Amino acid sequence: MSDSTGERLLFPRWLRLWHWANAVLFLTLIVTGFSLHFAGVGQGGVGFKLAVTIHNLLGVALVGVYLFYLGSMAVTGHWRQYIPKRPLFQRIFKQVLYYIWGIFKGAHHPYEACVEARFNPIQQLAYIACVFAIFPLQIVTGIALLYPDMAPPTVWGMNGLWPAAVGHSVVAYGACAFLLVHLYLALTVGEEHTGVRAMVFGDRKPGAGGAHGHPAPHESPGE
Amino acid sequence: MSAQSPSPRSSGQASVTRPGGARSTATSRARSLAYLIPLLAVAPFVASAQAAPKSVSSAAVASVSASVYASAYAAPSTSTAPLEFTKITLQSCLDKCHGDKAEERKDPKLGRKASVYVDEHGLDRSEHRGMICVDCHPRSFAQDPHPPARRAYCPDCHHVNETRKDGVLFADIISDFQQSVHEKKNDKFRCIHCHDAHTFQLETTRSRVFEHNKVCLRCHGSPDLFRKFADKEPPNLDKAHAWLPNRDLHWSKVRCLDCHTGYDSKSSHLILPKAQAVKKCEVCHNQNPTQLLRLYSRMRAKERAGLGFLNGFIINDSYVIGATRNKTLDFFAILIMGSTGAGILGHSFLRILAALARRRSGSSGHDEEKHS
């Protein structure tokens, strides 16, 4: 996708739409999920019955949004963003070094986001895990909790629902930790054209390719 | 009365032989609780239940009610020799007539034949195992076929000051029952309307939820039987419970009593008007689910603590959101999130210090990078 000047946006409209829909659903599901998990503990959170209704509806909506993302990835070629680049370990090491040392010295981000490579190496690995493993796991366990009759009657002598429940809780806790790190990096590390502003307005990077050595491959269709 | 050791009768009418060789005597006890056991009014209800069109649960219910009530109306037949009363055993009654599912006798009150079958295996699993027929039906056996036996009279054994095996005082049961909507709306209800003495088990786990709920649905699932007590149509249970998330799952896992006996009843006998039933989800979906725990009142000692689950003993039967969460998982998850937050704060702090240091030295990091 490009803007009115013909320049390509760092984050095309469909990606921004997905991101913010995902964010709203994600946050609401965390709040209602905590209200359910810690029901009766203290006075905070949403009432149990309301939390059940909201959590169920938005959980299904999140699955829809996820499917939209998969479809859009396939159509636009965004899926290529998830293919790790070589040399993988050196790139990861460079990124880690930036976070633990370079960032304090005011160094440039080694892999600043650009149209062709929106993720840095660590982001790339984290998002591969999120999109292709953790997210599906959360959906499967969520479906099991939404339709408990589908769960096996017993697992290891316990009710068959508890592995799904524990798995759902583990992923939810992981999602909370991810959210903290994601917000921190987006709000404080992202630069003018690659941070929160870019995710709101799409923003544009002059010319193709990044400022730090990303070659300019062929443009992805639909972007 | 304990099932394994029935209370000895104080004054005897006749002695009988028990299966294990123990002896007891039947008694006529002070009838302080006589109002609880009217008994003779039951037969018409049974007749209705068996004749009525099947509704929600009447099919499942009819077989239970038949075994409960019909045996007391066994009418004479002409083919067998009388049992000698002093030699009556459970087996002799079962062998003669009551162990045969097909055996029927004319019930003079019903005006038709009714089953006289008693489920031996159900009796053997029940709280009354070890007892014999004449412990509760202590007369009318001098001739065979015997005339309708005297119905069981619960207070013969269950005294007001007696404590049940799970610690509930019978006085509390009676007190709760007197305040219940069943007793307040009419005086027809008696112990045996809900408690099948031939199969009653005190042990309550998920596997027995169906058995418990079947008792309620016997009337609440059968318009004809319901009208006998309430002179009105039963409420539509589907509609009345439409507010309940995962309604069918709740019905299969939770006893009617757990919600319909209110927030603070001592036993399960204080049935409340429907408007006062528990509707607050957090009562069960809670780390201290008092209503839910009543179902497991005899299992709490076996709580599984090793895996770190709250109310771990419930896990075998059901995962209950809010009630069976894993404390260990919660602890480590909160620890990890706290550590992440602390790491972020530390990283931010160091970045601020580094930025201040760079400003003091008058250099920008990017310049240094270029020069280097």
Side-chain angles (χ1 to χ4, degrees):
Chain A
M1 181 179 288
S2 56
D3 69 357
S4 57
T5 64
E7 290 177 293
R8 294 172 65 202
L9 296 175
L10 179 61
F11 298 119
R13 191 173 294 152
W14 72 265
L15 190 58
R16 283 177 280 145
L17 182 69
W18 167 79
H19 176 270
W20 291 115
N22 207 36
V24 169
L25 293 174
F26 209 87
L27 283 172
T28 319
L29 285 165
I30 284 175
V31 171
T32 53
F34 268 81
S35 297
L36 296 173
H37 191 72
F38 292 102
V41 180
Q43 299 299 314
V46 186
F48 191 90
K49 189 168 182 305
L50 181 62
V52 168
T53 307
I54 296 174
H55 202 79
N56 287 351
L57 288 175
L58 297 195
V60 172
L62 192 70
V63 174
V65 167
Y66 175 69
L67 294 176
F68 165 76
Y69 183 65
L70 290 183
S72 300
M73 270 205 310
V75 171
T76 62
H78 179 69
W79 59 272
R80 292 191 187 90
Q81 302 278 345
Y82 290 93
I83 300 173
K85 292 182 172 60
R86 292 181 180 177
L88 181 62
F89 290 109
Q90 283 90 328
R91 285 165 57 83
I92 290 172
F93 181 72
K94 197 171 176 183
Q95 182 67 38
V96 170
L97 206 61
Y98 168 73
Y99 284 139
I100 64 173
W101 183 249
I103 196 169
F104 299 114
K105 295 176 67 182
H108 271 298
H109 197 293
Y111 300 103
E112 195 176 336
C114 65
V115 172
E116 292 74 25
R118 296 182 178 113
F119 308 140
N120 69 51
I122 292 179
Q123 265 184 315
Q124 197 174 42
L125 288 182
Y127 289 172
I128 286 172
C130 286
V131 173
F132 299 107
I134 294 172
F135 223 99
L137 177 65
Q138 193 70 339
I139 289 172
V140 169
T141 54
I143 289 172
L145 290 168
L146 187 60
Y147 300 103
D149 293 343
M150 293 171 64
T154 56
V155 173
W156 299 322
M158 297 184 186
N159 181 270
L161 207 54
W162 79 265
V166 169
H168 205 72
S169 301
V170 168
V171 173
Y173 281 129
C176 292
F178 170 85
L179 193 63
L180 288 175
V181 176
H182 184 72
L183 284 173
Y184 172 63
L185 294 178
L187 291 171
T188 70
V189 179
E191 297 183 8
E192 186 185 356
H193 296 288
T194 61
V196 178
R197 184 181 179 283
M199 192 49 87
V200 174
F201 298 106
D203 227 323
R204 60 179 185 270
K205 291 292 289 180
H212 298 277
H214 292 304
H218 66 279
E219 293 194 353
S220 305
E223 292 194 359
Chain B
M1 180 185 73
S2 164
Q4 286 86 352
S5 55
S7 301
R9 311 294 171 93
S10 56
S11 61
Q13 293 173 332
S15 4
V16 290
T17 306
R18 292 177 175 283
R23 299 181 70 79
S24 77
T25 51
T27 183
S28 57
R29 199 175 284 284
R31 303 303 202 230
S32 59
L33 300 176
Y35 69 91
L36 281 175
I37 321 290
L39 313 180
L40 294 177
V42 172
F45 305 145
V46 177
S48 303
Q50 290 168 339
K54 299 289 185 280
S55 61
V56 177
S57 65
S58 57
V61 163
S63 62
V64 176
S65 38
S67 69
V68 176
Y69 302 122
S71 62
Y73 292 95
S77 74
T78 55
S79 59
T80 52
L83 279 169
E84 192 177 338
F85 187 75
T86 54
K87 291 183 179 174
I88 289 176
T89 64
L90 174 65
Q91 205 56 49
S92 66
C93 298
L94 294 173
D95 289 345
K96 275 271 182 188
C97 306
H98 296 281
D100 185 354
K101 283 184 180 176
E103 196 71 32
E104 292 184 332
R105 293 287 185 277
K106 188 171 182 186
D107 185 333
K109 290 198 178 296
L110 295 178
R112 62 174 174 76
K113 285 190 171 182
S115 169
V116 294
Y117 174 66
V118 173
D119 179 3
E120 182 184 2
H121 298 297
L123 186 60
D124 198 42
R125 287 191 295 269
S126 79
E127 299 299 325
H128 295 131
R129 60 187 170 273
M131 296 176 68
I132 61 174
C133 305
V134 291
D135 284 338
C136 298
H137 308 286
R139 70 176 188 213
S140 311
F141 298 103
Q143 53 181 302
D144 184 29
H146 58 78
R150 182 188 149 276
R151 282 194 179 277
Y153 182 71
C154 307
D156 271 353
C157 300
H158 299 295
H159 308 285
V160 175
N161 293 325
E162 187 187 345
T163 302
R164 214 168 59 175
K165 278 198 288 188
D166 59 357
V168 176
L169 199 64
F170 273 94
D172 288 337
I173 291 176
I174 293 164
S175 165
D176 279 355
F177 176 73
Q178 285 172 331
Q179 297 171 61
S180 78
V181 69
H182 284 161
E183 172 70 358
K184 282 184 175 174
K185 289 205 169 180
N186 66 51
D187 58 357
K188 294 177 183 173
F189 285 96
R190 302 294 178 262
C191 307
I192 58 168
H193 286 140
C194 298
H195 298 294
D196 181 346
H198 292 150
T199 57
F200 178 73
Q201 293 179 37
L202 196 54
E203 187 80 39
T204 51
T205 61
R206 291 283 169 215
S207 60
R208 294 204 33 83
V209 163
F210 174 70
E211 297 294 328
H212 278 259
N213 289 349
K214 205 162 65 174
V215 172
C216 306
L217 291 171
R218 182 185 299 165
C219 295
H220 288 269
S222 163
D224 290 332
L225 206 49
F226 188 86
R227 273 190 231 108
K228 296 284 185 186
F229 288 91
D231 292 325
K232 64 177 183 181
E233 292 297 312
N236 182 320
L237 298 181
D238 288 348
K239 275 188 183 173
H241 295 84
W243 65 275
L244 196 58
N246 278 324
R247 185 197 62 197
D248 291 350
L249 186 68
H250 278 98
W251 278 355
S252 68
K253 302 284 187 183
V254 180
R255 295 179 303 172
C256 306
L257 292 170
D258 292 328
C259 296
H260 288 275
T261 51
Y263 295 90
D264 192 30
S265 71
K266 295 187 227 45
S267 73
S268 298
H269 292 74
L270 207 169
I271 314 293
L272 292 168
K274 62 183 176 186
Q276 293 175 34
V278 171
K279 277 196 164 182
K280 196 176 175 188
C281 308
E282 290 89 336
V283 171
C284 289
H285 294 281
N286 186 333
Q287 61 181 335
N288 185 26
T290 48
Q291 296 295 107
L292 195 62
L293 293 181
R294 284 165 43 196
L295 178 61
Y296 297 95
S297 57
R298 300 184 65 200
M299 298 180 65
R300 296 181 66 179
K302 301 174 189 170
E303 180 162 7
R304 178 188 294 107
L307 295 176
F309 281 97
L310 276 174
N311 307 308
F313 53 94
I314 303 176
I315 289 277
N316 282 349
D317 288 335
S318 186
Y319 171 77
V320 183
I321 296 170
T324 51
R325 57 192 171 82
N326 190 298
K327 291 183 289 185
T328 310
L329 171 63
D330 289 346
F331 172 77
F332 280 108
I334 291 168
L335 188 69
I336 288 170
M337 282 196 288
S339 305
T340 305
I344 287 171
L345 285 176
H347 198 260
S348 304
F349 182 67
L350 289 176
R351 283 176 65 197
I352 292 168
L353 287 182
L356 288 173
R358 285 202 307 274
R359 189 175 295 172
R360 277 199 206 103
S361 67
S363 66
S364 87
H366 294 182
D367 291 342
E368 282 177 17
E369 197 179 54
K370 282 175 190 170
H371 292 309
S372 64

